[in-house]
Amino acid sequence: MNRKWIWAPLVTGVLLAGCGEKEVPEPPNAETAADVETTEANQDAEDFEVAFEGRFDHVHGMGFIENEEGLYFATHQGLKIYRDGEWMETNDHFHDYMGFNAVDDGFYTSGHPGPGSMMQNPIGIQRSKDGGRSLNHMGFEGETDFHGMAAGYRSHHLFVMNPQGNSQMGPGYFRSEDEGKEWQEVDGAGLQGEISSFAMHPSDSQLIAAATTAGVFLSEDGGDSFTLLTEDEIYGTAVFFSEEELYYATYGTQAELIEYTWKNGGQQALELPDMPEDGIMYFAQNPSNRDEFAIYTAAGHAFISEDGGGTWDQILNAGQVE
C-alpha cells in the first residue's frame, strides 16, 4: 500500500511550525539592534551551555559544528546540543532558527527573534562563529525569513530561495560567494515541487542539491539548472553533501537514505533504524569522523550511528531526550 499520504501531513506540519510572524518589540533602528545582539552574549561556553533534560520539537536544521565538537539542533526556541553522549541547551538567545546551516566554524541561519531580543523581525541572515553566543548581522533584518538556504561547510558560499522581493533582490534563487555582500541571481531551471531543504557541497559551490515534493534534484552549475535524480512518485525529504558523496533521503512507501556519487552516478541504500510511518527530515555527517551519521525524523526522533549507518542509537524519542 502506498503510504505517501502519511509523509505529506507530517512534513508540512513540521515545516510550517514556528514559521509565522511573531509579536516582538521592534528595536529603535537596525544599527542599535546589531550593536546589542553582537555584544550581549560574551560568555564562556560553560556559562552559555547548560544541561538539558526536557523535550523539544519544531526542529528546522541540524548539523555538526567542527570547532564546537557538537551536533546542533536549531529549534523554535533556540539551540539544543548533543555532545559526548550528553544533551545541552543554551541559556540565552531563544531565537526561532530557520534555514539553519552548520559550517566548520559556526553556523548561518535565518528566522525570528526570541523573547527579549532587540533584533528586528524577521532576523534576515545571521552568522555565528562561537556556537550561538553572538550573532553577526549579514542583511535583510526586518525584511526576509529565508527558510530555503544552503551554505558551503568550508567555502561559506551561500544559496537562498527568496520568497518575495526585498531591498536587494527580487523573488527567486540567489547565490553569494562573499559572505552576502553581493548576490547573483540564478535560474533554478528544472527545479520542481515544494522545497523541503537545500544543500551545498562543502567546498565546490557549483554543486547544489534540493529535496522537494517532486523528488531530489542536483545542480552542477551553481543553481542555474537542476536535474531530477529520483523516480516519479517519490518525495525528496533531506539532502546533505560530504566531499565525495551526496546523501539524500526520500519517502515513497517508506523512508530511504541513499548514498549517491555524482562523479559516476553510483548509489546505494543505507540501513536505517526501525521508523515505521516516519521519514528523515535532516541528515548530517561528522566531518571529523566520517563514520558518524545523525538523522532527525518527522516524528521527532533522532538517531546516531558510529559505523556509517550499520547500527543506530536513538538519542531523541518523539522530542524527549534520551
Side-chain angles (χ1 to χ4, degrees):
M1 181 174 61
N2 191 321
R3 295 185 177 273
K4 284 177 63 178
W5 62 270
I6 296 170
W7 175 254
L10 274 174
V11 72
T12 300
V14 176
L15 289 174
L16 293 179
C19 300
E21 293 295 322
K22 293 185 173 183
E23 294 296 328
V24 295
E26 290 293 336
N29 55 61
E31 181 178 1
T32 301
D35 291 343
V36 171
E37 195 63 23
T38 55
T39 60
E40 68 182 358
N42 293 326
Q43 308 177 59
D44 293 333
E46 293 181 359
D47 298 324
F48 184 62
E49 297 178 2
V50 296
F52 179 66
E53 297 180 350
R55 59 173 291 112
F56 64 90
D57 48 23
H58 297 174
V59 171
H60 299 299
M62 179 190 74
F64 290 93
I65 298 179
E66 199 167 40
N67 69 346
E68 299 289 340
E69 298 182 347
L71 176 63
Y72 281 67
F73 293 77
T75 83
H76 186 56
Q77 296 177 317
L79 297 171
K80 305 294 186 268
I81 307 152
Y82 186 78
R83 182 186 296 118
D84 297 329
E86 297 183 354
W87 280 100
M88 310 289 287
E89 68 173 343
T90 64
N91 65 5
D92 199 356
H93 300 340
F94 303 114
H95 307 307
D96 181 8
Y97 290 113
M98 306 290 296
F100 178 89
N101 280 262
V103 294
D104 53 357
D105 65 351
F107 63 84
Y108 293 84
T109 191
S110 191
H112 303 279
S117 173
M118 290 296 291
M119 286 195 295
Q120 291 180 298
N121 184 27
I123 64 176
I125 299 178
Q126 304 287 329
R127 170 81 156 98
S128 178
K129 296 183 179 181
D130 54 12
R133 291 181 287 280
S134 64
L135 295 172
N136 296 321
H137 298 244
M138 298 178 60
F140 309 106
E141 305 97 287
E143 291 188 300
T144 305
D145 176 14
F146 294 95
H147 292 186
M149 181 163 68
Y153 194 84
R154 303 201 183 278
S155 70
H156 299 172
H157 294 177
L158 299 174
F159 178 85
V160 300
M161 178 181 68
N162 188 35
Q164 59 187 17
N166 55 42
S167 60
Q168 296 187 47
M169 58 179 72
Y173 304 101
F174 293 80
R175 54 182 288 123
S176 175
E177 299 183 359
D178 57 5
E179 293 280 326
K181 296 180 178 66
E182 295 183 0
W183 293 91
Q184 173 189 357
E185 185 172 12
V186 294
D187 292 335
L191 192 56
Q192 301 175 3
E194 183 178 348
I195 305 295
S196 297
S197 62
F198 289 112
M200 179 182 282
H201 187 274
S203 54
D204 182 358
S205 62
Q206 293 298 296
L207 291 168
I208 299 170
T212 87
T213 53
V216 173
F217 296 80
L218 175 65
S219 173
E220 299 184 73
D221 56 11
D224 271 325
S225 62
F226 286 82
T227 300
L228 180 66
L229 300 180
T230 51
E231 299 177 355
D232 293 341
E233 304 301 319
I234 295 292
Y235 286 4
T237 64
V239 282
F240 177 89
F241 275 107
S242 67
E243 286 291 342
E244 301 296 332
E245 290 87 23
L246 168 65
Y247 294 90
Y248 65 81
T250 63
Y251 194 95
T253 58
Q254 63 182 3
E256 287 193 306
L257 178 62
I258 306 297
E259 181 184 83
Y260 174 79
T261 305
W262 64 88
K263 291 182 179 180
N264 60 20
Q267 59 183 331
Q268 63 173 332
L270 302 182
E271 293 292 328
L272 288 176
D274 186 28
M275 39 189 290
E277 300 184 359
D278 195 7
I280 298 171
M281 289 195 65
Y282 300 106
F283 171 89
Q285 180 188 50
N286 188 342
S288 300
N289 177 7
R290 295 184 60 188
D291 288 329
E292 184 174 9
F293 294 166
I295 59 175
Y296 177 82
T297 80
H301 307 313
F303 300 86
I304 290 276
S305 174
E306 300 285 352
D307 56 7
T311 59
W312 296 88
D313 294 321
Q314 189 165 13
I315 60 173
L316 193 67
N317 186 353
Q320 177 66 46
V321 302
E322 296 275 281

